[in-house]
Amino acid sequence: MSEKAARCLATMFQRISIAINAEKDRLSELDGAIGDADHGITMSLGFMAVNAELAKLDLSQALPSEIFSVAASAFLDAVGASTGPLYATAFRRASQALKTDESLSLACQAMIVDEMRAGIQQRGKGQRGDKTMLDAWVPAAEAAIDAKANSRDVAAMWKAILEAAETGANSTSSMVAARGRAARLGERSLGHIDPGAASAVIILRAMQDTFVGAGAHP
């Protein structure tokens, strides 16, 4: 089972990389309005680096927790900007949690989303409403935990996760940034979707495609 699960996660990171790469110009454009206009490029480089490292693994021997551990180190090495430590911590938290459950069951998938949220929050010290990626990750994690508690199936859980993340990301356009580079703009950050929240939705959609679309869950 762990081999199937490891391959599933490796596929997930490939899907994330492809999706981010396809949207990198839009993400950098969003970032140009409130930041340094490099978010798309940064995220693309980070996930390409993750996949380059994962390609060196023997997936027939790897555990799911190892996939996230490798991803954490690779992303951090490739992305020195603020996003690097945030996602590295997210992946590291997911890796640690997976050591207690390597199955990729529905409960395990919900745990991955919540641990990634926790890692980003732990490292960034932010909260919902700050106009950051947490405005997508926090509601996504809440939806995951709620779906697990209510014994939803995998497809219903990921539908709820993605809808919550999209609503959260879209809500950032009506927020004044409280954290990150955009906070320097004050009221001028109004009217723009946060690029980190937008890329979080892309990541979560690729995760949904992997766990639901491929029927990869056990």
Side-chain angles (χ1 to χ4, degrees):
M1 181 58 71
S2 65
E3 177 186 348
K4 182 181 177 185
R7 289 188 188 281
C8 175
L9 291 180
T11 299
M12 179 191 83
F13 277 110
Q14 287 172 351
R15 285 176 187 255
I16 291 171
S17 184
I18 290 165
I20 289 284
N21 205 44
E23 298 271 6
K24 70 179 179 184
D25 291 343
R26 180 177 72 89
L27 291 172
S28 289
E29 203 173 290
L30 287 173
D31 195 28
I34 58 175
D36 290 349
D38 63 353
H39 185 68
I41 296 160
T42 298
M43 294 295 283
S44 180
L45 287 172
F47 283 108
M48 282 196 289
V50 167
N51 283 296
E53 287 304 308
L54 290 178
K56 299 174 186 175
L57 282 185
D58 179 357
L59 294 177
S60 67
Q61 302 295 322
L63 290 169
S65 55
E66 285 178 69
I67 302 294
F68 271 104
S69 179
V70 168
S73 298
F75 200 92
L76 188 59
D77 287 346
V79 181
S82 56
T83 312
L86 293 172
Y87 273 109
T89 308
F91 298 152
R92 204 159 282 127
R93 286 280 299 242
S95 174
Q96 287 299 118
L98 276 166
K99 287 176 182 174
T100 65
D101 179 3
E102 304 266 8
S103 69
L104 293 195
S105 62
L106 181 145
C108 184
Q109 292 173 36
M111 178 180 70
I112 287 170
V113 175
D114 192 42
E115 287 297 325
M116 286 180 68
R117 183 275 314 159
I120 292 165
Q121 209 155 15
Q122 174 193 337
R123 187 66 195 231
K125 307 284 189 267
Q127 59 189 347
R128 194 174 182 171
D130 284 347
K131 195 182 177 92
T132 69
M133 63 178 73
L134 283 170
D135 289 301
W137 279 107
V138 170
E142 288 172 352
I145 298 303
D146 179 70
K148 183 178 78 167
N150 290 295
S151 302
R152 301 242 183 100
D153 63 25
V154 171
M157 179 177 78
W158 279 101
K159 182 173 184 285
I161 288 170
L162 203 66
E163 284 176 355
E166 286 175 334
T167 300
N170 289 337
S171 74
T172 62
S173 66
S174 60
M175 295 175 188
V176 174
R179 284 191 172 270
R181 293 174 188 144
R184 296 178 307 212
L185 296 175
E187 296 286 332
R188 284 183 295 148
S189 65
L190 270 171
H192 302 286
I193 289 176
D194 178 73
S199 62
V201 171
I202 295 168
I203 290 167
L204 285 159
R205 187 178 294 116
M207 292 172 75
Q208 178 194 42
D209 289 346
T210 304
F211 290 123
V212 180
H217 49 279

